[in-house]
């Protein structure tokens, strides 16, 4: 029997997973994009048949994309590239102080950037198709839906239906952006599913929401020179260290981004058609009845994402979901309540919504199922980075979560502001960068939280995350010799001071 991967939108991790699964198994499911290619020897050993169903339902504005899921097409990859475009704009300004002279006015061209980014994404889509073919994975660009035990129906975009059966299924259907459910939202607003391929510069933009997606998109749009406003319902970056989240907000505000706090949109009207057109946004205070209005060229909704689990026939096979969130509870082996159906990625209940986490979970799942391995995915101490203009890398507990878990008296916080050497000559943003380390006093001052705000925060955090996973203590951190002059040296020996309580 084959194995099925159901994947309408999941992240690119699934591609590799498919490859791996092809190496080891024999069934179909509906997703998968990215995973370590195992040897042909192993494939021969297991002789498994694998099929992937992947289908992207178009956005309300009609946009869709190719193989690879959210991360590759409308997430991490285009986001990081557009963040880079914004950083280059800042670098151009800094370069004058380093002696570069240019007389012509420097302008950013949205279409050039978007075309370059989309061309790169196209090459990734193609690469995944080829890799699937090379690994003899059957790929169908069709929407998968369970219709009975061990059976899925695949419907392609022409409406042609086919039935497939499989021994095991893996669901990795990911999430899609949520809409506000107010007049005008689906007609006139865009989401991150539209932004990265927008065929015109968005102009004056209102970003609604205050988490990762909102702040990252607002950050690069402002960095490209656009007039950007963020409408915040409550706090910035819920779930992250709030001390750091507020520093990110302050930095963005100082760099020209407007914040409208404690308001939510209640209506969006079109004033003028165009590319971009003009929209009127009416918003209401979350604290009272105050109503405000504003005019923008583009309204980007980044208010969270919904798991794509409600229209894939899970009820037909008895897979339980959390009715409120749509998320799927699984055991520590990514198995749903129906033993032959597994799930990975953003659709899992109480798990991190990050591509590398899904890759790891899928890879280990396949090794357990078909290669006799026993390792399970470790969802603790997962590093991540928020690519705001001032990048934020984190691993482990936020200060709030550490206090809640261990008690304030049992944690010690060490921190420091710092000024990257590269920023001194252009005289910018002195003491805006910041590092904070949280230690568990009861456990030999083991480092349980790592937070850094500054250039290349992801590169900095990745290495420290390995040390944290190995159980690094504050003493070991202090005994590490620094590299001079780099930002990361602030995190080690004597640079960090204990926070006054
Ligand atoms: P999110 O983390 O769920 O945050 C949603 C944001 O929208 C919050 O600020 C929320 O405010 C606000 N919001 C919700 N409903 C609203 C409404 N009706 N009106 C106004 N504001 C509203 O969503 P997300 O930023 O889309 O991120 C989704 C997931 O993708 C995250 O869990 C993250 O793990 C992942 N992601 C990762 C990265 C990365 O690794 N760098 C980047 C992007 C996304 P409240 O705080 O008031 O609820």
């Amino acid at each position: 029997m084959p194995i099925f991967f159901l994947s309408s939108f999941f992240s690119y991790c699934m591609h590799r997973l498919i490859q791996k699964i092809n190496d080891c198994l024999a069934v179909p499911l509906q997703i998968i994009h990215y995973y370590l290619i195992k040897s042909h020897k192993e494939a021969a050993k297991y002789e498994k048949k694998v099929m992937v169903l992947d289908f992207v339902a178009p956005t309300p504005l009609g946009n869709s994309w190719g193989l690879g899921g959210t991360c590759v097409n409308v997430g991490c990859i285009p986001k990081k590239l557009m963040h880079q475009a914004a950083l280059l704009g800042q670098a151009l300004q800094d370069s004058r102080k380093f002696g570069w002279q240019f007389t012509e006015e420097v302008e950013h061209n949205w279409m050039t950037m978007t075309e370059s980014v989309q061309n790169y994404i196209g090459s990734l889509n193609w690469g995944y198709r080829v890799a699937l073919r090379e690994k003899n994975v059957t790929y169908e660009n069709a929407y998968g839906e369970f219709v009975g035990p061990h059976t899925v129906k695949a419907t392609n975009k022409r409406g042609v239906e086919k039935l497939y059966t499989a021994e095991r299924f893996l669901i990795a259907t990911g999430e899609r952006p949520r809409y506000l459910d107010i007049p005008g939202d689906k007609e006139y607003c865009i989401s991150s599913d539209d932004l990265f391929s927008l065929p015109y510069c968005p102009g004056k933009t209102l970003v609604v929401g205050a988490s990762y997606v909102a702040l990252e998109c607002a950050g690069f749009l402002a960095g490209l020179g656009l007039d950007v406003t963020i409408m915040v319902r409550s706090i910035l970056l819920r779930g992250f260290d709030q001390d750091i989240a507020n520093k990110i907000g302050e930095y963005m505000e100082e760099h020209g981004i407007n914040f409208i706090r404690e308001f939510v949109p209640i209506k969006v009207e079109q004033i003028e058609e165009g590319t971009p057109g003009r929209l009127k946004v009416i918003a209401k205070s979350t604290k009272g009845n105050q109503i405000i209005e504003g005019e923008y060229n583009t309204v980007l909704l980044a208010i969270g994402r919904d798991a794509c689990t409600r229209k894939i026939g899970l009820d037909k096979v008895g897979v339980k979901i959390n009715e409120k969130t749509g998320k799927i509870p699984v055991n520590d082996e990514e198995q749903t309540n129906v033993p032959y159906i597994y799930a990975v990625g953003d659709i899992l209940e109480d798990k991190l919504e990050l591509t590398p986490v899904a890759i790891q979970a899928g890879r280990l799942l396949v090794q357990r199922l078909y290669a006799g391995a026993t390792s399970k995915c470790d969802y603790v101490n997962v590093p991540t980075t928020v690519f705001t203009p001032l990048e934020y890398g984190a691993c482990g507990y936020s200060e709030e979560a550490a206090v809640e878990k261990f008690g304030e008296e049992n944690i010690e916080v060490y921190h420091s502001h710092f000024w990257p050497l590269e920023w001194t000559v252009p005289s910018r943003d002195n003491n805006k960068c910041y590092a904070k380390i949280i230690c568990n006093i009861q456990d030999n001052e083991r480092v349980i939280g790592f937070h850094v705000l500054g250039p290349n925060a992801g590169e900095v955090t990745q290495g420290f995350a390995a040390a944290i996973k190995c159980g690094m203590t504050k003493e070991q951190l202090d005994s590490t010799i620094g590299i001079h002059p780099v930002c990361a040296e602030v995190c080690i020996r004597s640079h960090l001071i204990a926070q006054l309580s």
Side-chain angles (χ1 to χ4, degrees):
M1 261 202 176
I3 250 220
F4 257 115
F5 291 89
L6 307 183
S7 150
S8 316
F9 330 99
F10 185 54
S11 33
Y12 75 141
C13 60
M14 294 303 53
H15 157 86
R16 280 199 167 176
L17 177 53
I18 285 277
Q19 296 171 331
K20 175 70 176 185
I21 282 165
N22 184 38
D23 287 348
C24 323
L25 10 154
V27 203
L29 196 59
Q30 178 187 347
I31 283 199
I32 308 308
H33 307 283
Y34 196 76
Y35 182 53
L36 276 179
I37 300 172
K38 258 280 203 156
S39 66
H40 286 288
K41 251 176 155 182
E42 195 171 357
K45 184 170 150 198
Y46 293 106
E47 289 181 344
K48 302 298 182 185
K49 281 202 276 176
V50 182
M51 179 179 208
V52 182
L53 299 180
D54 177 75
F55 188 85
V56 180
T59 70
L61 297 184
N63 292 314
S64 66
W65 46 90
L67 184 60
T70 296
C71 179
V72 167
N73 293 284
V74 287
C76 322
I77 298 294
K79 176 273 302 289
K80 176 95 191 282
L81 291 172
M82 293 193 181
H83 170 66
Q84 173 65 8
L87 292 182
L88 288 171
Q90 177 69 59
L92 275 168
Q93 289 177 36
D94 291 357
S95 73
R96 290 183 190 275
K97 280 283 168 68
F98 285 97
W100 291 101
Q101 294 175 355
F102 33 92
T103 45
E104 280 175 43
E105 189 147 321
V106 178
E107 278 183 3
H108 183 261
N109 185 307
W110 175 271
M111 286 312 299
T112 305
M113 172 186 73
T114 310
E115 272 172 38
S116 310
V117 169
Q118 289 301 322
N119 285 343
Y120 177 63
I121 291 172
S123 73
L124 293 178
N125 299 147
W126 174 249
Y128 298 143
R129 284 298 294 271
V130 171
L132 290 180
R133 209 173 299 139
E134 279 172 2
K135 304 304 286 181
N136 295 322
V137 172
T138 306
Y139 167 75
E140 276 211 27
N141 183 206
Y143 189 84
E145 206 179 336
F146 286 99
V147 289
H150 292 280
T151 310
V152 291
K153 180 176 76 179
T155 310
N156 73 13
K157 55 178 177 248
R158 290 186 303 283
V160 177
E161 296 179 358
K162 286 184 197 163
L163 289 182
Y164 293 101
T165 57
E167 181 188 342
R168 291 193 173 102
F169 293 80
L170 176 60
I171 307 165
T173 42
E175 297 184 308
R176 292 296 290 271
R178 195 173 295 152
Y179 281 77
L180 283 164
D181 209 15
I182 60 168
D185 66 342
K186 288 209 172 80
E187 293 91 328
Y188 307 125
C189 300
I190 64 167
S191 73
S192 54
D193 281 358
D194 303 298
L195 179 67
F196 303 110
S197 57
L198 202 66
Y200 55 85
C201 178
K204 182 181 175 186
T205 301
L206 175 70
V207 177
V208 183
S211 200
Y212 269 90
V213 176
L215 298 190
E216 291 180 334
C217 293
F220 76 69
L221 291 174
L224 300 178
L226 303 184
D227 179 343
V228 177
T229 301
I230 303 176
M231 188 173 283
V232 182
R233 177 167 73 175
S234 57
I235 57 169
L236 304 186
L237 290 176
R238 183 177 298 285
F240 284 91
D241 192 288
Q242 281 302 294
D243 178 22
I244 306 258
N246 292 331
K247 287 181 193 298
I248 291 173
E250 278 164 29
Y251 184 92
M252 291 175 82
E253 222 158 350
E254 280 166 17
H255 284 257
I257 297 177
N258 311 303
F259 281 81
I260 301 176
R261 290 177 190 265
E262 298 179 334
F263 272 86
V264 289
I266 52 171
K267 192 175 186 185
V268 180
E269 291 170 3
Q270 189 175 59
I271 303 171
E272 194 183 310
E273 272 188 55
T275 50
R278 278 198 306 136
L279 301 169
K280 179 159 93 178
V281 177
I282 302 158
K284 186 175 178 300
S285 165
T286 58
K287 296 279 176 204
N289 292 325
Q290 193 189 351
I291 303 281
I292 56 169
E293 286 182 9
E295 261 188 51
Y296 304 92
N297 298 115
T298 297
V299 178
L300 171 67
L301 300 182
I303 58 162
R305 302 168 62 83
D306 290 324
C308 301
T309 54
R310 296 187 196 271
K311 294 180 186 159
I312 54 172
L314 294 181
D315 51 328
K316 304 268 181 9
V317 280
V319 171
K320 280 194 197 128
I321 62 169
N322 176 326
E323 280 310 328
K324 201 165 159 235
T325 61
K327 298 265 185 161
I328 303 178
V330 290
N331 63 16
D332 63 356
E333 302 203 38
E334 287 79 31
Q335 190 176 34
T336 71
N337 63 304
V338 176
Y340 66 89
I341 300 179
Y342 299 80
V344 295
D346 296 359
I347 54 173
L348 297 190
E349 185 170 58
D350 297 330
K351 297 284 193 291
L352 296 159
E353 298 177 13
L354 296 167
T355 302
V357 174
I359 294 174
Q360 177 80 334
R363 186 170 59 89
L364 295 175
L365 170 65
V366 171
Q367 286 175 358
R368 287 195 305 272
L369 289 177
Y370 301 102
T374 53
S375 297
K376 295 173 188 173
C377 184
D378 180 3
Y379 290 93
V380 178
N381 286 332
V382 174
T384 188
T385 297
V386 184
F387 291 96
T388 33
L390 193 55
E391 295 172 9
Y392 169 30
C395 182
Y397 287 87
S398 66
E399 192 173 335
E400 293 85 357
V403 167
E404 200 184 316
K405 169 103 179 164
F406 302 100
E408 195 166 357
E409 66 286 5
N410 292 322
I411 63 162
E412 186 68 82
V413 177
Y414 298 90
H415 70 158
S416 179
H417 282 95
F418 64 98
W419 199 15
L421 179 67
E422 296 80 356
W423 292 11
T424 55
V425 169
S427 314
R428 71 172 164 101
D429 301 311
N430 189 0
N431 272 350
K432 296 293 172 193
C433 296
Y434 182 70
K436 180 200 270 192
I437 279 153
I438 302 159
C439 301
N440 181 358
I441 297 170
Q442 299 296 326
D443 187 17
N444 199 21
E445 280 218 291
R446 202 165 300 286
V447 178
I448 54 169
F450 175 92
H451 305 269
V452 64
L453 198 53
N456 307 307
E459 312 295 345
V460 172
T461 306
Q462 185 70 81
F464 283 103
I468 291 170
K469 195 157 174 54
C470 296
M472 176 179 65
T473 62
K474 178 68 168 52
E475 194 186 351
Q476 288 167 331
L477 191 61
D478 287 346
S479 68
T480 305
I481 293 174
I483 300 170
H484 187 69
V486 300
C487 292
E489 77 180 308
V490 72
C491 303
I492 56 155
R493 190 172 172 74
S494 73
H495 290 282
L496 296 171
I497 53 161
Q499 206 174 52
L500 294 176
S501 51

